[in-house]
Amino acid sequence: MNDQEFLEYAIAAAREGASQGGVPIGGALVVDGKVLGTGFNKRVQLGSAIRHGETDCLENIGRLPASTYQKATMYTTLSPCHMCSGAILLYGIPRVVLGENETFMGAEDLLRSHGVEVINLNSQECKALMAKFIAEKPEVWNEDIGV
């Protein structure tokens, strides 16, 4: 499988979040060509301050040895925020593939400054998911990004 095919797992998770009325951001963690798990933003559904797509993905997978994280790629539909980037750095995930960063520019420079490879697939589908959500629920989006 290639990066676009693995991103589809994150997109499917984002769609699930949207179907539940949440922010349509999804994540998937892949190691050695295998999807270990996925997650999606559950801030609305759980009333959570920290369940973004990437952190929900990590939570859903559970504890892993450091050696597993060190071989992983995090796929995410949107540029990761500082919190999610911090989790990526904490666990030593060396590669992040994001769907897009036009809707929101996260902490990509922070990731790169710590040697993380960051790839933007510039996905029109990811942009469309976010545009629809922001148009329908701007107040929830602003809360999600701390505005």
Side-chain angles (χ1 to χ4, degrees):
M1 293 183 77
N2 63 37
D3 284 338
Q4 183 59 50
E5 291 169 315
F6 285 125
L7 181 64
E8 293 298 326
Y9 285 88
I11 292 171
R15 282 193 211 108
E16 175 62 26
S19 76
Q20 296 178 13
V23 182
I25 302 170
L29 192 71
V30 175
V31 175
D32 295 331
K34 180 178 182 217
V35 178
L36 299 186
T38 64
F40 55 89
N41 186 305
K42 292 182 179 149
R43 294 188 75 243
V44 172
Q45 298 91 318
L46 299 178
S48 171
I50 62 169
R51 290 298 276 274
H52 285 192
E54 301 90 338
T55 56
D56 187 60
C57 175
L58 294 170
E59 178 68 14
N60 290 340
I61 294 168
R63 293 173 59 191
L64 297 172
S67 60
T68 301
Y69 293 116
Q70 293 164 1
K71 299 184 296 184
T73 297
M74 175 64 78
Y75 290 84
T76 178
T77 58
L78 188 63
S79 182
C81 72
H82 280 79
M83 177 178 67
C84 294
S85 293
I88 289 163
L89 293 175
L90 177 68
Y91 291 108
I93 297 169
R95 188 168 183 265
V96 174
V97 176
L98 52 112
E100 63 108 347
N101 65 4
E102 287 180 24
T103 302
F104 176 80
M105 173 60 82
E108 294 175 37
D109 287 343
L110 175 65
L111 291 169
R112 286 186 186 100
S113 75
H114 287 271
V116 176
E117 180 183 12
V118 179
I119 298 167
N120 181 0
L121 296 183
N122 199 27
S123 164
Q124 295 307 311
E125 185 172 5
C126 291
K127 291 176 192 177
L129 277 169
M130 290 307 303
K132 181 178 187 298
F133 179 79
I134 292 167
E136 293 173 355
K137 299 180 179 178
E139 70 287 346
V140 176
W141 171 243
N142 287 335
E143 175 191 321
D144 199 64
I145 61 172
V147 175

